[in-house]
Amino acid sequence: MLIVFIGPPGAGKGTQAARLIERLGIPHLSTGEILRAAVAVQSETGKLAAPYLEVGGLVPDPLVVGIVGERLSQRDCAAGCLLDGFPRTLGQAVALDEFLKQRGRQLDVALELRIGREDLLRRLLARKRPDDTVETISRRLEVYRLETEPILAYYDQRKILCTIDAVGTLDEVFDRILACVEPRRIV
Ligand code: AMP
């Protein structure tokens, strides 16, 4: 099953993604994690990406599209994958569709985790990540609104969008996610 997981930073994507991959038995592809790891080891990709991560901006599309294409081509992604934090721009969404189409594949579900701004800020300021300062958080939320939200309409048009209320206990939110994913699961 190929799933994209969309939501503003702090919506709980990482936590829910971890549960979902366990349930579905598919790999987790988090572009944020891959990029942070690349920055930490100062690889070529890391050096290119670092300035964007520092300010909470988006790494250029070709760089992330390349990372995702490479990862999706690995054997463990043949049966499916959970894409977390990608796509984040309409350009990335279109590039992903093209990539999949050329390989006779397509997305099954776009999961959106939706949460109000106040809940978000509270959650974001409670976690401890190097790119979680008030400034970068505000920037990332703004980037989400401008760059990422337009993707929702794109997936809605294709009838694969599922919007999940991200406010509630971990179990409540996970149950909502399963209610969307399970009926679309090809067994
Ligand atoms: P995340 O862990 O998903 O919040 O991502 C952390 C940071 O990595 C973001 O603020 C961006 O700088 C960068 N990043 C992650 N995924 C993408 C993407 N799909 N496109 C561009 N930049 C990304």
Coordinates of all heavy atoms in Angstrom, one line a residue, residues 19-81:
R19 N 3.2 3.8 14.3 CA 2.2 2.8 14.6 C 1.6 2.2 13.3 O 1.4 1.0 13.2 CB 1.0 3.4 15.3 CG 1.3 3.8 16.7 CD 0.0 4.4 17.3 NE 0.1 4.3 18.7 CZ -1.0 4.3 19.5 NH1 -2.2 4.3 18.9 NH2 -0.9 4.2 20.8
L20 N 1.4 3.0 12.3 CA 0.8 2.6 11.1 C 1.7 1.6 10.3 O 1.2 0.6 9.8 CB 0.4 3.8 10.2 CG -0.5 3.5 9.0 CD1 -1.8 2.9 9.4 CD2 -0.8 4.9 8.3
I21 N 3.0 1.9 10.3 CA 3.9 1.0 9.5 C 4.0 -0.3 10.2 O 4.1 -1.4 9.5 CB 5.3 1.6 9.3 CG1 5.9 2.0 10.7 CG2 5.3 2.7 8.4 CD1 7.4 2.0 10.6
E22 N 3.9 -0.3 11.5 CA 3.9 -1.6 12.2 C 2.6 -2.4 11.9 O 2.7 -3.6 11.6 CB 3.9 -1.3 13.7 CG 4.5 -2.5 14.5 CD 4.5 -2.3 16.0 OE1 3.4 -2.1 16.5 OE2 5.5 -2.3 16.6
R23 N 1.5 -1.7 11.9 CA 0.2 -2.4 11.6 C 0.2 -2.9 10.1 O -0.2 -4.0 9.9 CB -0.9 -1.4 11.8 CG -2.3 -1.9 11.4 CD -2.7 -3.1 12.2 NE -3.0 -2.7 13.6 CZ -4.2 -2.6 14.0 NH1 -5.3 -2.8 13.3 NH2 -4.4 -2.2 15.3
L24 N 0.7 -2.1 9.2 CA 0.6 -2.5 7.8 C 1.8 -3.3 7.3 O 1.8 -3.9 6.2 CB 0.5 -1.2 6.9 CG -0.8 -0.4 7.1 CD1 -0.8 0.8 6.2 CD2 -2.1 -1.2 6.9
G25 N 2.9 -3.3 8.1 CA 4.1 -4.0 7.7 C 4.8 -3.4 6.4 O 5.3 -4.1 5.6
I26 N 4.8 -2.0 6.3 CA 5.4 -1.4 5.2 C 6.5 -0.4 5.8 O 6.4 0.0 6.9 CB 4.4 -0.6 4.3 CG1 3.6 0.4 5.1 CG2 3.6 -1.5 3.5 CD1 2.7 1.3 4.3
P27 N 7.5 -0.1 5.0 CA 8.6 0.8 5.4 C 8.1 2.2 5.6 O 7.1 2.6 5.0 CB 9.7 0.7 4.4 CG 9.3 -0.3 3.4 CD 7.8 -0.6 3.6
H28 N 8.8 3.0 6.5 CA 8.5 4.4 6.8 C 9.5 5.2 6.1 O 10.7 5.0 6.3 CB 8.6 4.5 8.3 CG 8.3 5.9 8.8 ND1 8.7 6.4 10.0 CD2 7.7 6.9 8.2 CE1 8.3 7.6 10.2 NE2 7.6 8.0 9.1
L29 N 9.1 6.1 5.2 CA 10.0 7.0 4.5 C 9.8 8.4 5.0 O 8.8 9.1 4.5 CB 9.8 6.8 3.0 CG 10.9 7.3 2.0 CD1 10.5 6.9 0.6 CD2 11.2 8.7 2.1
S30 N 10.6 8.9 5.9 CA 10.4 10.2 6.4 C 11.5 11.1 5.8 O 12.7 10.9 6.1 CB 10.5 10.3 7.9 OG 10.8 11.5 8.4
T31 N 11.2 12.0 4.9 CA 12.2 12.9 4.3 C 12.9 13.8 5.4 O 14.1 14.0 5.3 CB 11.6 13.8 3.2 OG1 10.4 14.3 3.6 CG2 11.4 13.0 1.9
G32 N 12.1 14.2 6.4 CA 12.7 15.0 7.5 C 13.8 14.2 8.2 O 14.9 14.7 8.4
E33 N 13.5 12.9 8.5 CA 14.5 12.1 9.2 C 15.8 11.8 8.3 O 16.9 11.9 8.7 CB 13.9 10.7 9.5 CG 13.3 10.7 10.9 CD 12.5 9.5 11.2 OE1 12.9 8.4 10.6 OE2 11.6 9.5 12.0
I34 N 15.5 11.6 7.0 CA 16.6 11.3 6.1 C 17.5 12.6 6.0 O 18.7 12.5 6.0 CB 16.1 10.9 4.7 CG1 15.4 9.5 4.8 CG2 17.2 10.8 3.6 CD1 14.7 9.1 3.5
L35 N 16.8 13.7 5.9 CA 17.6 15.0 5.7 C 18.4 15.3 7.0 O 19.5 15.7 6.9 CB 16.7 16.1 5.4 CG 16.1 16.1 3.9 CD1 14.9 17.0 3.8 CD2 17.2 16.4 2.9
R36 N 17.7 15.1 8.2 CA 18.5 15.4 9.4 C 19.7 14.5 9.6 O 20.7 14.9 10.0 CB 17.5 15.2 10.6 CG 16.7 16.5 10.9 CD 16.0 16.4 12.3 NE 15.0 15.4 12.3 CZ 13.8 15.5 11.8 NH1 13.4 16.6 11.2 NH2 12.9 14.5 11.8
A37 N 19.5 13.2 9.2 CA 20.6 12.2 9.3 C 21.7 12.7 8.3 O 22.9 12.6 8.6 CB 20.1 10.8 8.9
A38 N 21.4 13.1 7.1 CA 22.3 13.6 6.1 C 23.1 14.8 6.6 O 24.3 14.9 6.4 CB 21.7 13.9 4.8
V39 N 22.4 15.7 7.3 CA 23.1 16.9 7.9 C 24.0 16.4 9.0 O 25.2 16.9 9.0 CB 22.0 17.9 8.4 CG1 22.7 19.0 9.2 CG2 21.2 18.5 7.3
A40 N 23.6 15.5 9.8 CA 24.4 15.1 10.9 C 25.7 14.4 10.5 O 26.8 14.7 11.1 CB 23.6 14.1 11.8
V41 N 25.7 13.7 9.4 CA 27.0 13.1 8.9 C 27.7 13.9 7.8 O 28.7 13.6 7.3 CB 26.8 11.6 8.3 CG1 26.2 10.7 9.3 CG2 25.9 11.7 7.0
Q42 N 27.1 15.1 7.6 CA 27.7 16.1 6.6 C 28.0 15.5 5.2 O 29.0 15.7 4.7 CB 29.0 16.7 7.2 CG 28.7 17.5 8.5 CD 29.9 18.2 9.0 OE1 31.0 18.1 8.4 NE2 29.7 18.9 10.1
S43 N 27.0 14.7 4.8 CA 27.1 14.2 3.4 C 26.9 15.3 2.4 O 26.5 16.4 2.8 CB 26.1 13.1 3.2 OG 24.8 13.6 3.2
E44 N 27.1 15.0 1.1 CA 26.8 16.1 0.1 C 25.4 16.6 0.2 O 25.1 17.8 0.2 CB 27.1 15.5 -1.3 CG 28.6 15.5 -1.7 CD 29.3 16.8 -1.3 OE1 28.8 17.8 -1.8 OE2 30.3 16.7 -0.6
T45 N 24.4 15.6 0.3 CA 23.0 16.0 0.4 C 22.8 16.8 1.7 O 22.1 17.9 1.7 CB 22.2 14.7 0.5 OG1 22.4 14.0 -0.6 CG2 20.7 15.1 0.7
G46 N 23.5 16.4 2.8 CA 23.4 17.1 4.1 C 23.8 18.6 4.0 O 23.2 19.5 4.5
K47 N 25.0 18.7 3.3 CA 25.5 20.1 3.1 C 24.6 21.0 2.3 O 24.4 22.2 2.6 CB 26.9 20.0 2.5 CG 28.0 19.5 3.4 CD 29.3 19.5 2.7 CE 30.3 18.6 3.4 NZ 31.4 18.1 2.6
L48 N 24.0 20.4 1.3 CA 23.0 21.2 0.5 C 21.8 21.5 1.3 O 21.2 22.6 1.2 CB 22.7 20.4 -0.8 CG 23.7 20.3 -1.8 CD1 23.3 19.3 -2.9 CD2 24.0 21.6 -2.5
A49 N 21.3 20.6 2.1 CA 20.1 20.7 2.8 C 20.2 21.6 4.1 O 19.2 22.3 4.5 CB 19.5 19.4 3.2
A50 N 21.3 21.6 4.7 CA 21.4 22.2 6.1 C 20.9 23.6 6.2 O 20.2 23.9 7.1 CB 22.9 22.1 6.5
P51 N 21.2 24.5 5.2 CA 20.8 25.9 5.4 C 19.3 26.0 5.4 O 18.7 26.9 6.1 CB 21.4 26.6 4.2 CG 22.4 25.7 3.6 CD 22.1 24.3 4.0
Y52 N 18.6 25.1 4.7 CA 17.1 25.2 4.6 C 16.5 24.7 6.0 O 15.6 25.2 6.5 CB 16.6 24.3 3.5 CG 17.1 24.8 2.1 CD1 18.2 24.2 1.5 CD2 16.4 25.9 1.5 CE1 18.7 24.7 0.3 CE2 16.9 26.3 0.3 CZ 18.0 25.7 -0.3 OH 18.5 26.2 -1.5
L53 N 17.1 23.6 6.5 CA 16.6 23.0 7.7 C 16.8 24.0 8.9 O 15.9 24.2 9.7 CB 17.3 21.7 8.1 CG 16.6 20.5 7.6 CD1 16.8 20.2 6.1 CD2 17.0 19.2 8.3
E54 N 17.9 24.7 8.8 CA 18.2 25.7 9.9 C 17.2 26.7 10.0 O 16.8 27.2 11.1 CB 19.5 26.4 9.6 CG 20.7 25.9 10.5 CD 22.0 26.3 9.9 OE1 22.2 27.5 9.5 OE2 22.9 25.4 9.8
V55 N 16.6 27.2 8.9 CA 15.6 28.3 9.0 C 14.2 27.8 8.9 O 13.3 28.6 8.9 CB 15.9 29.4 7.9 CG1 17.3 30.0 8.1 CG2 15.8 28.8 6.5
G56 N 14.0 26.5 8.8 CA 12.6 26.0 8.7 C 12.0 26.2 7.3 O 10.8 26.1 7.1
G57 N 12.9 26.3 6.3 CA 12.4 26.4 4.9 C 12.4 25.1 4.2 O 12.9 24.1 4.8
L58 N 11.9 25.0 3.0 CA 11.8 23.8 2.3 C 13.1 23.6 1.5 O 13.6 24.5 0.8 CB 10.6 23.7 1.3 CG 9.3 23.6 2.0 CD1 8.2 23.5 0.9 CD2 9.2 22.4 3.0
V59 N 13.6 22.4 1.5 CA 14.8 22.0 0.7 C 14.2 21.9 -0.8 O 13.1 21.5 -1.0 CB 15.2 20.6 1.2 CG1 16.3 20.0 0.2 CG2 15.7 20.6 2.6
P60 N 15.0 22.3 -1.8 CA 14.5 22.4 -3.1 C 14.0 21.0 -3.6 O 14.5 20.0 -3.3 CB 15.8 22.8 -3.9 CG 16.7 23.5 -3.0 CD 16.4 22.8 -1.6
D61 N 12.9 21.1 -4.4 CA 12.2 19.9 -4.9 C 13.1 18.8 -5.4 O 13.0 17.7 -5.1 CB 11.1 20.3 -5.9 CG 9.9 20.9 -5.2 OD1 9.8 20.9 -4.0 OD2 9.0 21.3 -6.0
P62 N 14.1 19.2 -6.4 CA 14.8 18.1 -7.0 C 15.6 17.3 -6.0 O 15.8 16.1 -6.2 CB 15.8 18.9 -7.9 CG 15.1 20.2 -8.2 CD 14.4 20.5 -6.9
L63 N 16.1 17.9 -4.9 CA 16.9 17.2 -3.9 C 16.0 16.2 -3.2 O 16.4 15.0 -3.1 CB 17.5 18.2 -2.9 CG 18.6 17.7 -2.1 CD1 19.8 17.3 -2.9 CD2 19.0 18.7 -1.0
V64 N 14.8 16.6 -2.7 CA 14.0 15.6 -2.0 C 13.3 14.6 -3.0 O 13.2 13.4 -2.6 CB 12.8 16.3 -1.2 CG1 13.3 16.6 0.2 CG2 12.3 17.5 -1.8
V65 N 13.0 15.0 -4.2 CA 12.4 14.1 -5.1 C 13.4 13.0 -5.4 O 13.1 11.8 -5.5 CB 11.9 14.8 -6.4 CG1 11.6 13.8 -7.5 CG2 10.7 15.7 -6.1
G66 N 14.7 13.4 -5.5 CA 15.7 12.4 -5.8 C 15.9 11.4 -4.6 O 16.0 10.2 -4.8
I67 N 15.8 11.9 -3.4 CA 15.9 11.1 -2.2 C 14.8 10.1 -2.2 O 15.0 8.9 -2.0 CB 15.9 11.9 -0.9 CG1 17.2 12.8 -0.8 CG2 15.7 11.1 0.3 CD1 17.2 13.8 0.4
V68 N 13.6 10.6 -2.4 CA 12.4 9.7 -2.4 C 12.4 8.7 -3.5 O 12.1 7.5 -3.2 CB 11.1 10.6 -2.4 CG1 9.9 9.7 -2.6 CG2 11.0 11.4 -1.2
G69 N 12.8 9.1 -4.7 CA 12.9 8.1 -5.8 C 13.8 7.0 -5.5 O 13.5 5.8 -5.8
E70 N 15.0 7.4 -5.0 CA 16.0 6.4 -4.6 C 15.5 5.4 -3.6 O 15.6 4.2 -3.7 CB 17.2 7.1 -4.0 CG 18.5 6.7 -4.7 CD 19.6 7.6 -4.1 OE1 20.0 7.4 -3.0 OE2 20.0 8.5 -4.8
R71 N 14.8 5.9 -2.6 CA 14.3 5.1 -1.5 C 13.2 4.2 -2.0 O 13.1 3.0 -1.6 CB 13.9 6.0 -0.3 CG 13.4 5.2 0.9 CD 14.5 4.5 1.6 NE 14.1 3.6 2.6 CZ 13.7 2.3 2.4 NH1 13.7 1.8 1.2 NH2 13.3 1.6 3.4
L72 N 12.3 4.7 -2.8 CA 11.1 4.0 -3.3 C 11.6 2.8 -4.2 O 10.9 1.9 -4.4 CB 10.2 4.9 -4.0 CG 9.2 5.7 -3.2 CD1 8.3 6.5 -4.1 CD2 8.3 4.8 -2.3
S73 N 12.8 3.0 -4.8 CA 13.2 2.0 -5.7 C 13.8 0.8 -5.0 O 14.1 -0.2 -5.7 CB 14.3 2.6 -6.7 OG 13.8 3.7 -7.4
Q74 N 14.1 0.9 -3.7 CA 14.6 -0.2 -3.0 C 13.6 -1.3 -2.8 O 12.4 -1.0 -2.8 CB 15.2 0.3 -1.7 CG 16.5 1.1 -1.9 CD 16.9 1.8 -0.6 OE1 16.5 1.6 0.5 NE2 17.8 2.8 -0.8
R75 N 14.1 -2.5 -2.7 CA 13.2 -3.7 -2.8 C 12.2 -3.7 -1.7 O 11.0 -4.1 -1.9 CB 14.1 -4.9 -2.7 CG 13.3 -6.1 -3.2 CD 14.1 -7.4 -3.2 NE 15.3 -7.3 -4.0 CZ 16.3 -8.1 -3.9 NH1 16.2 -9.2 -3.1 NH2 17.4 -8.0 -4.6
D76 N 12.5 -3.2 -0.5 CA 11.5 -3.3 0.6 C 10.3 -2.4 0.4 O 9.3 -2.5 1.1 CB 12.2 -3.0 2.0 CG 12.8 -1.6 2.1 OD1 13.1 -1.1 1.0 OD2 12.9 -1.1 3.2
C77 N 10.4 -1.5 -0.6 CA 9.3 -0.6 -0.8 C 8.4 -1.2 -2.0 O 7.4 -0.5 -2.3 CB 9.7 0.8 -1.2 SG 10.4 1.7 0.2
A78 N 8.7 -2.3 -2.5 CA 8.0 -2.9 -3.6 C 6.5 -3.1 -3.3 O 5.6 -2.8 -4.1 CB 8.6 -4.2 -4.1
A79 N 6.2 -3.5 -2.0 CA 4.8 -3.8 -1.7 C 4.1 -2.6 -1.1 O 2.9 -2.6 -0.8 CB 4.8 -5.0 -0.7
G80 N 4.9 -1.5 -0.9 CA 4.2 -0.4 -0.3 C 5.2 0.4 0.5 O 6.3 0.0 0.8
C81 N 4.7 1.6 1.0 CA 5.6 2.5 1.8 C 4.7 3.6 2.4 O 3.7 3.9 1.8 CB 6.6 3.1 0.8 SG 7.8 4.2 1.6

